[in-house]
Amino acid sequence: LGDAGQELSSGEGEEFRDGALALAQCLREEGIEMGDPEFLGPGKFHLDIEGIDTESPAFEAAQEACAGKLPELSGVTVGG
């Protein structure tokens, strides 16, 4: 399928990276044990959530509390 990703300006890339780091920090502050994200390319990152029950009330509450940490940038999506 070739390479997929969103081209970000340097400012958007920095904003995205800062937001992803803030998301991971927020989740930790909410009691979710996890490390910082791994950055895979423009507009892409991976959070290692192996071993975390993502359907638990604690995770869902943390996710809701931290939802605003990632910037909303055109063409950038979370998931899949």
Side-chain angles (χ1 to χ4, degrees):
L1 295 175
D3 292 332
Q6 174 67 29
E7 289 298 319
L8 302 176
S9 71
S10 62
E12 287 175 328
E14 187 174 322
E15 183 180 0
F16 179 78
R17 183 177 174 83
D18 289 349
L21 289 168
L23 173 64
Q25 179 64 36
C26 181
L27 290 170
R28 285 192 293 268
E29 290 170 358
E30 294 293 323
I32 305 301
E33 298 285 332
M34 63 183 315
D36 283 339
E38 175 185 357
F39 294 94
L40 306 173
K44 296 180 183 180
F45 70 97
H46 172 76
L47 285 176
D48 185 5
I49 58 171
E50 186 175 335
I52 296 173
D53 181 0
T54 59
E55 295 181 17
S56 72
F59 183 83
E60 290 178 358
Q63 188 175 27
E64 186 174 322
C66 301
K69 297 298 181 182
L70 277 179
E72 292 186 26
L73 300 173
S74 175
V76 175
T77 59
V78 176

